[in-house]
Amino acid sequence: MYRRIHIMGASGAGTTTLGKALAARLPHVHLDSDDYFWEQKYTKQSVVAERLNKLQADMAQNEPWILSGAVCGWGDSLRDTFDLVVFLWIPEQVRLERLRAREYERYGDEGLPGGDKYEDVQEFMAWAALYDTAGPEVRSRTLHEEWMAGLSGDLLRLEGDLTVEERVEAVLQNLSRSS
C-alpha cells in the first residue's frame, strides 16, 4: 500500500477535500501544504527553509500520510518521497465558481465591492484564473506537468468534475491494484 501520498492540482480543484476524505477511510494522517506555506493564513508566507523543515518533521513522525496542496518550487526536494501522486484537474469555470463561493464563505461581504478584502479577493481570483494558461513562472498546469514529469513514484490523474466520492473510489481502486 502507498504510505506517502501527495494530492496536487490548481487552487479550488479539491486537493484538501480529497485528502481529508481519504484520511477518513485510510490509516493515513492528513497534512495540508497551506499549513506549512503560510505563517499567517493567506497573508504572510513562512520562510521556505522553516516550512520545509516543519513539513519533513511531520511527515517523518506521522507515516503513513496524505499531503494535499502544492509544494512545487519550495518542496522540490520532496518529489522522490511520494509513493503516489494524485493530480486533480477540473474545468476552469467550475473551479473558479468554487473559489468565488469559498472566498465569500471566508470573507463574506468584506470580499465584495467596497469591502476591506475586495482587492485581495480580486487579486487572488486573477491569479487562480491563470492556472490553465500560464507558464511555469506561476502555479500553473504547465508547472505541475513539468514537476510531475520528474516523479519517481506512481501518478494517478483524476480529470473532470468528479464528486468527492468518485475521486475517493478511484484512489482506493488504485491502492488495491498496487497491493
Side-chain angles (χ1 to χ4, degrees):
M1 175 182 269
Y2 296 111
R3 300 186 54 75
R4 298 177 310 262
I5 301 170
H6 178 42
I7 305 169
M8 62 183 288
S11 183
T15 63
T16 302
T17 301
L18 179 57
K20 288 177 181 177
L22 282 169
R25 303 264 302 265
L26 296 170
H28 294 59
V29 171
H30 177 244
L31 307 171
D32 191 81
S33 64
D34 276 349
D35 295 334
Y36 303 91
F37 187 84
W38 297 105
E39 185 175 320
Q40 294 175 336
K41 274 278 171 97
Y42 317 117
T43 57
K44 183 179 179 191
Q45 295 179 15
S46 61
V47 175
V48 172
E50 291 174 10
R51 77 177 78 134
L52 192 54
N53 287 338
K54 184 179 173 189
L55 175 57
Q56 287 173 316
D58 285 352
M59 290 164 81
Q61 190 172 35
N62 291 296
E63 193 171 316
W65 46 256
I66 297 166
L67 173 65
S68 58
V71 296
C72 295
W74 67 270
D76 288 349
S77 62
L78 302 173
R79 195 179 341 220
D80 291 337
T81 304
F82 308 122
D83 299 324
L84 173 66
V85 171
V86 180
F87 174 70
L88 303 181
W89 181 88
I90 60 173
E92 179 180 3
Q93 181 179 354
V94 174
R95 187 173 56 78
L96 294 178
E97 281 178 30
R98 287 180 182 179
L99 287 173
R100 278 194 262 314
R102 184 175 80 187
E103 293 302 288
Y104 186 77
E105 186 177 309
R106 183 175 287 153
Y107 300 117
D109 290 344
E110 291 300 311
L112 299 177
D116 289 344
K117 293 290 186 180
Y118 178 72
E119 292 301 322
D120 293 339
V121 170
Q122 293 307 300
E123 185 177 320
F124 169 72
M125 292 300 298
W127 169 82
L130 294 173
Y131 182 81
D132 288 309
T133 57
E137 70 281 358
V138 297
R139 183 175 166 189
S140 64
R141 183 158 188 176
T142 300
L143 175 66
H144 283 170
E145 293 291 349
E146 289 178 5
W147 193 87
M148 290 183 296
L151 290 171
S152 59
D154 292 342
L155 174 64
L156 173 63
R157 293 174 177 271
L158 299 178
E159 300 190 19
D161 188 16
L162 305 172
T163 66
V164 176
E165 190 55 34
E166 287 171 327
R167 289 175 168 183
V168 167
E169 289 304 318
V171 173
L172 293 177
Q173 285 177 9
N174 186 275
L175 293 176
S176 69
R177 284 193 296 266
S178 71
S179 299

